[in-house]
């Protein structure tokens, strides 16, 4: 899909960036001493807000401890420079280390807790911090610490708030650039995937607890930077700067600016600092006003100011009536066949041994055993509620079996976590689609294509070219995969805006992006029309021929009969039959438990699956 004037858009962007840079550069010349002080404060809040945006907007982790990070940064500088005689910059480095350590500490509850509880816990930690600085003697109690020495830089007089502005501007610009770099590459994509759907993210290999922790560490890093800048600018720290009231102002900045956009966070921070200064004579009313604006924003513009251009564009496009909407789902391009050696291996790929799964009183699986050989397409059928999805959840690590074992590719995986199973080679789709809805289709695939482990994020700190190199390679692979699955026209679309059949296909493409050895498909044909089902059969067969073993839960007996060599039938959580489709449908238990006369009649003639001649359209169920 060619965007007309794409180059024009780029030039326009570069031009406006240059204009903004010029204005920022010249800004101090037009400001008096008081105004530059306010702007200096605004930039500190901007740095703070970027960290907040990374945790809340990008990663979806409620973080009310940001003022505590800010405080740790400022107080460590204050204590080290006044009590211990450290130089400003040495103290600054130690302050950053201390803040990141605090970030790790605050992130510990995040390892176990979901978002709302996390909000309460982080708020509690912030309150604890405030309490401590107000009462401890090392922090100077309510009086705070004054007499922080002037930071110096060779050739630049930082006692001038005009020149300090440029230091802050540089830190803020670098911080924003680094934040955007994170957001748009591997780590940020995972963080955003985690925000949209942590279960689906885990299924494609994201280590959720570590990622949550990373979100807090990023937030703390920016909090610490802001604290250091604050200590250097004001040279005095006291508890009221790090109060809960200021925490909520910060929250307001991020929500009004647009929490998912780091630039939006900066705009919100600078804007609200200026407005706050302007309204300082009416601070009680102003507080109330911010509260009202935040509520209005949450209700009417949840994406904040940063989301406005996108909404306008959407509106205009709708008015134009999708003039350029000629996007279509293209045919699937089959995979090349794999070496026969890989398929011919006859040791089981997956072994489920006497697995039982209880939910309180309910036995969803009762001693289920299942052996899948490499290269199989195994069908799992059974009435609703018979435990099929639960079986998938146990195999893929989402549920832990009450008893019994699961082994995959020679490893015992009974207690393995979903991300670990993804890295071992299990991929799955979900009965109710679970795409990352705020990521584009391309990004959905990129999350799964990226097989690096979370610890590889050290490269963000020490070797950025490594990240960029990997990014290029991933993007090439994504393009190839989009072409293979006929999704190229939708690469930049939001998955939620696409028809159901396309979303199902994206989910399979995403699962295949992780290059699995075993693919679990949970009712992939649900909601598809006849033509789409033909395509699905073709895709599944090609996936198997490429060397990936497939286990498929399906209600459509026609599809099962045409695709699967073996079928396992579940009923009431137990396996009641297993064998070739023809054997299974002839088993009296199966007829009684599940199929009934109508389904049998539907299933008997194996449907056509020649790609070229769809002789008969299949019906769902
Ligand atoms: P199927 O996929 O075959 O339709 P499921 O595996 O989804 O069936 O469900 C099997 C049984 O287990 C159902 O009775 C369902 O209500 C129950 N069940 C599934 N997941 C849970 C859960 N997380 N908590 C409680 N009960 C569950
Ligand atoms: Mg199910």
């Amino acid at each position: 899909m060619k965007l007309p004037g794409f180059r024009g858009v780029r030039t326009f962007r570069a031009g406006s960036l240059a204009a903004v840079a010029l204005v920022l550069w010249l800004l101090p010349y037009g400001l008096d001493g008081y105004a530059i002080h306010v702007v200096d404060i605004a930039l500190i809040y901007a740095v703070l807000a970027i960290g907040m945006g990374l945790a809340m907007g990008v990663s979806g982790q409620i973080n009310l401890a940001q003022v505590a990070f800010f405080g740790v940064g400022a107080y460590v500088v204050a204590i080290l420079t006044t009590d211990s005689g450290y130089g400003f910059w040495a103290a600054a480095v130690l302050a950053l280390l201390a803040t990141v350590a605090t970030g790790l500490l605050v992130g510990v509850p995040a390892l176990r807790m979901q978002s709302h509880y996390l909000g309460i816990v982080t708020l509690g930690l912030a309150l604890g911090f405030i309490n401590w600085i107000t009462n401890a003697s090392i922090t100077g109690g309510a009086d705070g610490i004054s007499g922080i020495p002037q930071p110096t830089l060779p050739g630049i007089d930082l006692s001038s708030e005009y020149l300090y502005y440029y230091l802050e501007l540089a830190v803020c610009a670098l911080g924003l650039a680094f934040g955007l770099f994170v957001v748009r590459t591997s780590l940020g994509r995972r963080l955003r995937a985690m925000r949209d759907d942590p279960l689906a993210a885990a299924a494609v290999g994201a280590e959720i607890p570590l990622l949550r922790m990373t979100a807090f560490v990023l937030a703390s890093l920016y909090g610490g930077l802001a604290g250091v800048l604050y200590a250097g600018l004001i040279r005095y720290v006291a508890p009221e700067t790090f109060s809960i009231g200021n925490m909520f102002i910060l929250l307001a900045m991020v929500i009004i600016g647009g929490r998912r956009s780091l630039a939006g966070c900066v705009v919100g921070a600078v804007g609200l600092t200026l407005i706050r200064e302007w309204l300082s004579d009416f601070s009680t009313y102003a507080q109330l006003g911010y509260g009202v604006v935040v509520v209005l924003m949450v209700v009417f513009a949840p994406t904040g100011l940063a989301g406005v251009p996108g909404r306008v564009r959407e509106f205009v496009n709708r008015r134009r009536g999708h003039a350029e909407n000629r996007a279509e789902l293209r045919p699937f391009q089959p995979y090349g066949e794999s070496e026969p050696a890989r398929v011919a291996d006859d040791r089981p790929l997956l072994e489920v041994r006497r697995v039982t799964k209880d939910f309180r009183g309910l036995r969803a699986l009762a001693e289920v055993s299942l052996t899948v050989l490499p290269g199989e397409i195994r069908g799992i059928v059974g009435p609703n509620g018979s435990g099929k999805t639960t079986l998938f959840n146990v195999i893929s690590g989402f549920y832990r079996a009450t008893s019994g074992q699961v082994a995959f590719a020679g490893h015992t995986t009974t207690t393995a976590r979903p991300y670990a199973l993804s890295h071992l080679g299990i991929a799955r789709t979900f009965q109710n689609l679970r795409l990352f809805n705020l990521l584009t289709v391309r990004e959905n695939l990129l999350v799964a294509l990226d097989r690096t482990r979370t610890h590889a994020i050290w490269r963000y700190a020490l070797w950025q070219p490594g990240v960029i190199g990997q990014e290029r390679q991933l993007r090439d692979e994504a393009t190839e995969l989009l072409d293979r699955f006929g999704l190229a026209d939708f690469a930049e679309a939001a998955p939620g805006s696409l028809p159901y059949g396309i979303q199902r296909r994206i989910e399979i493409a995403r699962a295949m992006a992780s290059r699995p050895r075993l693919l679990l498909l949970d009712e992939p044909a649900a909601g598809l029309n006849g033509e789409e089902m033909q395509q699905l059969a073709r895709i599944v067969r090609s996936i198997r021929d490429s060397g990936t073993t497939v286990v498929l839960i399906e209600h459509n007996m026609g599809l099962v009969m045409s695709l699967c060599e073996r079928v396992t039938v579940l009923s009431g959580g137990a396996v009641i039959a297993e064998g070739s489709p023809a054997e299974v449908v002839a088993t009296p238990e199966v007829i009684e438990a599940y199929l009934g006369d109508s389904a049998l009649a539907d299933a008997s003639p194996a449907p056509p699956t020649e790609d070229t001649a769809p002789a008969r359209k299949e019906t769902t169920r």
Side-chain angles (χ1 to χ4, degrees):
M1 191 163 52
K2 278 216 171 65
L3 280 170
F6 184 62
R7 182 162 292 175
V9 172
R10 276 216 160 156
T11 319
F12 175 74
R13 282 209 179 144
S16 23
L17 202 65
V20 169
L22 188 68
V23 169
L24 289 175
W25 191 255
L26 298 178
L27 184 69
Y29 294 95
L31 298 179
D32 63 20
Y34 173 69
I36 193 74
H37 177 77
V38 174
V39 169
D40 280 358
I41 298 277
L43 283 180
I44 289 172
Y45 271 98
V47 174
L48 206 50
I50 295 173
M52 189 81 175
L54 283 169
M56 292 226 339
V58 173
S59 320
Q61 306 301 305
I62 296 182
N63 167 26
L64 299 178
Q66 190 71 356
V67 276
F69 299 144
F70 185 30
V72 170
Y75 266 93
V76 170
V77 169
I79 293 169
L80 290 182
T81 51
T82 55
D83 279 5
S84 316
Y86 278 80
F88 186 87
W89 298 114
V93 170
L94 291 175
L96 283 184
L97 291 177
T99 331
V100 169
T102 317
L104 282 171
L105 201 73
V106 175
V108 169
L111 292 175
R112 304 225 121 248
M113 234 171 278
Q114 297 299 327
S115 61
H116 294 91
Y117 298 106
L118 202 55
I120 296 169
V121 170
T122 52
L123 183 62
L125 288 167
L127 282 169
F129 173 77
I130 294 162
N131 214 352
W132 179 68
I133 54 175
T134 317
N135 294 307
S137 60
I138 188 173
T139 58
D143 297 335
I145 302 173
S146 54
I148 300 170
Q150 187 73 64
T152 52
L153 279 179
I156 302 172
D157 174 17
L158 289 179
S159 68
S160 150
E161 293 203 349
Y162 286 93
L163 292 179
Y164 202 84
Y165 164 83
Y166 289 105
L167 171 71
E168 286 192 354
L169 193 61
V171 172
C172 191
L174 280 176
L176 182 61
F178 181 73
L180 290 173
F181 175 59
V182 168
V183 170
R184 290 173 187 183
T185 51
S186 159
L187 172 60
R189 233 174 1 245
R190 272 195 196 151
L191 291 171
R192 289 184 289 140
M194 164 175 80
R195 168 198 66 196
D196 286 1
D197 193 328
L199 287 185
V204 293
E207 288 156 90
I208 299 301
L210 275 182
L211 283 174
R212 287 219 193 103
M213 185 88 129
T214 308
F216 279 94
V217 169
L218 281 171
S220 69
L221 185 65
Y222 284 84
L225 268 178
V228 168
L229 288 176
Y230 182 85
L233 176 72
I234 310 290
R235 295 193 279 137
Y236 162 68
V237 291
E240 63 258 34
T241 312
F242 312 101
S243 65
I244 291 299
N246 272 358
M247 183 65 236
F248 280 100
I249 295 280
L250 187 60
L251 203 58
M253 291 170 174
V254 169
I255 289 173
I256 293 173
R259 62 189 190 281
R260 288 186 211 122
S261 150
L262 299 186
C265 292
V266 169
V267 169
V270 172
L272 206 55
T273 311
L274 299 183
I275 292 175
R276 202 178 162 196
E277 197 54 43
W278 183 47
L279 295 178
S280 57
D281 292 341
F282 316 94
S283 65
T284 323
Y285 297 112
Q287 293 269 15
L288 201 66
Y290 307 141
V292 172
V293 173
V294 166
V295 171
L296 291 177
M297 274 319 236
V298 169
V299 175
F300 294 106
T303 47
L305 293 176
V308 172
R311 288 162 76 110
V312 170
R313 216 176 305 132
E314 212 172 89
F315 178 75
V316 170
N317 281 348
R318 214 176 308 140
R319 288 291 293 268
R320 277 204 208 132
H322 297 287
E324 45 178 338
N325 194 355
R326 261 174 281 120
E328 58 173 336
L329 187 62
R330 296 175 196 276
F332 169 77
Q333 317 279 324
Y335 284 94
E337 292 197 13
S338 77
E339 332 278 272
R342 216 175 127 190
V343 179
D345 187 356
D346 59 358
R347 274 168 304 171
L349 182 65
L350 173 72
E351 269 191 280
V352 175
R353 293 187 218 108
R354 302 168 65 98
V355 160
T356 295
K357 175 69 194 169
D358 290 333
F359 294 108
R360 303 235 167 81
L362 183 97
R363 179 149 292 189
L365 293 175
E367 308 234 325
V368 169
S369 295
L370 176 79
T371 303
V372 179
L373 297 177
E376 245 190 278
I377 301 180
R378 170 67 62 96
I380 310 250
V381 300
N384 278 331
S386 57
K388 306 181 296 296
T389 299
T390 304
L391 179 61
F392 269 19
N393 282 334
V394 169
I395 295 171
S396 57
F398 284 94
Y399 293 162
R400 189 162 292 184
T402 311
S403 66
Q405 282 106 41
V406 185
F408 173 72
H411 303 265
T412 303
T413 56
T414 318
T415 57
R417 302 290 206 97
Y419 77 82
L421 290 167
S422 167
H423 286 284
L424 265 183
I426 296 181
R428 67 170 293 180
T429 63
F430 295 87
Q431 184 172 347
N432 305 312
L433 288 158
R434 282 180 169 273
L435 290 166
F436 307 123
N437 276 322
L438 296 177
L439 272 61
T440 63
V441 172
R442 183 192 299 278
E443 287 174 323
N444 266 269
L445 303 190
L446 280 167
V447 174
L449 277 167
D450 178 3
R451 303 317 289 160
T452 50
R453 299 292 297 271
T454 307
H455 54 69
I457 59 174
W458 65 265
R459 294 178 308 174
Y460 279 89
L462 301 174
W463 182 238
Q464 294 87 355
V467 178
I468 297 169
Q470 182 208 16
E471 195 61 25
R472 283 218 187 93
Q473 196 193 332
L474 287 176
R475 285 186 179 266
D476 289 346
E477 289 172 14
T479 305
E480 204 183 304
L481 198 63
L482 285 163
D483 286 338
R484 179 176 304 288
F485 279 83
L487 293 165
D489 284 359
F490 308 104
E492 312 311 326
S497 67
L498 299 171
Y500 204 65
I502 299 178
Q503 293 195 43
R504 286 254 176 231
R505 179 148 343 157
I506 297 167
E507 233 197 14
I508 299 179
R510 184 180 69 183
M512 285 307 289
S514 65
R515 290 177 289 274
R517 297 172 69 185
L518 175 68
L519 174 64
L520 307 173
L521 296 172
D522 196 345
E523 302 200 16
L528 299 194
N529 63 34
E531 167 57 28
E532 288 168 334
M533 225 176 296
Q534 295 277 352
Q535 284 274 336
L536 174 68
R538 207 174 149 216
I539 292 172
V540 171
R541 223 172 270 124
S542 170
I543 286 173
R544 190 274 304 273
D545 293 344
S546 77
T548 298
T549 306
V550 180
V551 180
L552 168 91
I553 294 176
E554 192 42 67
H555 273 301
N556 184 299
M557 279 309 286
L559 192 66
V560 172
M561 306 273 296
S562 79
L563 271 178
C564 309
E565 290 94 19
R566 285 179 80 74
V567 178
T568 303
V569 186
L570 285 179
S571 177
V575 176
I576 56 166
E578 190 173 299
S580 72
E583 285 164 16
V584 159
V585 292
T587 314
E589 290 91 335
V590 175
I591 297 173
E592 189 187 331
Y594 173 47
L595 292 169
D597 306 332
S598 59
L600 265 182
D602 190 33
S604 38
T609 44
E610 285 304 307
D611 303 318
T612 41
R616 180 171 76 94
K617 290 229 163 165
E618 294 173 20
T619 49
T620 343
R621 290 174 212 196

